[in-house]
């Protein structure tokens, strides 16, 4: 079982934020609905894992490559029927050989510093559309990788603020109330430290 933020606070693995830096004052039961996990997303037995795909949806490197390798060739066959996906949007497939039941493929923006606000909107849209699709299918447990922060070059701190804010907004919305757990998945130690620093600003210990 992946620990919740409340458990991470209790274990002393997540430090309460500086009150002056808090983005929100209360997290309430959100602390029981959000997790941080370090490792491969392909190991998670959840209703859906999110794939940081490209617009072709036909596979690639990074987390996309790991997901296709673990899910098997039938995933590629289903992806071919989807005819790609627009940046900021998402499409769902079955999980095939993965322990996860479904894969939600979303396409993050390729980062450009001249268009950073537009990139932030597109990145937020990836998280929102993925959760909308999950909610529409009554999926309760969903895991996200750090979308766009690998090959697509999004600065990981900026991307983490966007991700944590958008997920918080959705979980506290009416449609989001049926989602029981969101797991943020980090791969590197560096990304884990960044998530640990930024999570308490959006999900404070109350
Ligand atoms: P993008 O093209 O959207 O930037 P990448 O796959 O290159 O996507 O990187 C997105 C994030 O996924 C990065 O933080 C990368 O370290 C991470 N990542 C790579 N492999 C895995 C994996 N197996 N499970 C979870 N995260 C992964």
């Amino acid at each position: 079982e992946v620990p919740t933020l409340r458990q991470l606070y209790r274990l002393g693995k997540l430090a309460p934020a500086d009150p002056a830096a808090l983005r929100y004052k209360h997290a309430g039961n959100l602390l029981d609905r959000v997790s941080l996990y370090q490792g491969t997303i392909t190991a998670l037995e959840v209703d859906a894992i999110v794939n940081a795909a490209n617009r072709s949806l036909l596979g690639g490197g990074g987390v996309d490559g790991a997901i296709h390798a673990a899910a098997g060739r039938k995933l590629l066959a289903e992806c071919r029927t989807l005819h790609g996906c627009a940046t900021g949007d998402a499409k769902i497939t079955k999980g095939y050989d993965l322990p996860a039941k479904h894969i939600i493929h979303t396409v993050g923006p390729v980062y450009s510093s001249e268009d950073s606000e537009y990139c932030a909107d597109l990145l937020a849209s990836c998280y929102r559309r993925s959760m909308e699709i999950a909610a529409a299918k009554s999926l309760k447990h969903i895991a996200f990788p750090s979308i766009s922060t690998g090959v697509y070059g999004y600065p990981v701190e900026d991307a983490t603020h966007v991700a944590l804010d958008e997920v918080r907004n959705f979980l506290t919305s009416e449609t989001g109330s049926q989602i029981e757990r969101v797991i943020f998945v980090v791969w590197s130690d560096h990304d884990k430290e960044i998530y640990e620093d930024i999570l308490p600003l959006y999900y404070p210990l109350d």
Side-chain angles (χ1 to χ4, degrees):
E1 240 336 88
V2 180
T4 63
L5 296 186
R6 191 182 302 284
Q7 289 166 327
L8 291 177
Y9 278 120
R10 282 208 186 114
L11 294 165
K13 294 191 174 167
L14 206 53
D18 171 0
L22 288 185
R23 303 300 169 99
Y24 295 96
K25 277 208 167 112
H26 301 288
N29 80 335
L30 287 176
L31 293 179
D32 303 311
R33 295 170 68 200
V34 174
S35 291
L36 178 63
Y37 172 84
Q38 185 179 21
T40 179
I41 200 167
T42 56
L44 294 176
E45 202 177 324
V46 288
D47 295 321
I49 62 169
V50 175
N51 181 16
N54 57 52
R55 282 186 299 186
S56 78
L57 298 185
L58 299 180
V63 70
D64 194 7
I67 288 172
H68 274 269
R73 299 292 293 180
K74 284 183 185 160
L75 171 60
L76 186 59
E78 183 175 359
C79 284
R80 285 190 202 287
T81 70
L82 299 177
H83 306 294
C85 181
T87 303
D89 203 357
K91 292 187 178 180
I92 190 166
T93 66
K94 289 188 254 186
Y96 298 101
D97 295 344
L98 288 172
K101 291 193 198 82
H102 300 86
I103 305 162
I104 297 172
H105 306 264
T106 190
V107 183
V110 175
Y111 187 74
S112 138
S113 53
E114 292 96 82
D115 277 329
S116 63
E117 280 185 40
Y118 183 53
C119 289
D121 288 345
L122 287 171
L123 185 61
S125 173
C126 288
Y127 284 91
R128 188 169 58 250
R129 289 292 303 131
S130 297
M131 290 183 288
E132 282 171 358
I133 288 170
K137 293 247 175 198
S138 300
L139 306 182
K140 297 186 181 318
H141 292 193
I142 171 170
F144 282 103
S146 180
I147 300 164
S148 278
T149 65
V151 174
Y152 281 5
Y154 209 117
V156 61
E157 286 197 29
D158 296 345
T160 305
H161 280 281
V162 171
L164 300 191
D165 197 37
E166 196 62 30
V167 167
R168 187 186 158 114
N169 285 337
F170 193 80
L171 288 177
T172 54
S173 73
E174 197 163 311
T175 346
S177 62
Q178 56 178 308
I179 294 191
E180 288 175 9
R181 182 82 71 89
V182 169
I183 302 172
F184 291 107
V185 179
V186 287
W187 181 246
S188 70
D189 291 344
H190 177 247
D191 291 357
K192 181 176 175 243
E193 283 164 22
I194 287 172
Y195 270 74
E196 284 172 344
D197 283 347
I198 299 177
L199 273 164
L201 306 181
Y202 293 87
Y203 303 90
L205 187 61
D206 18 37

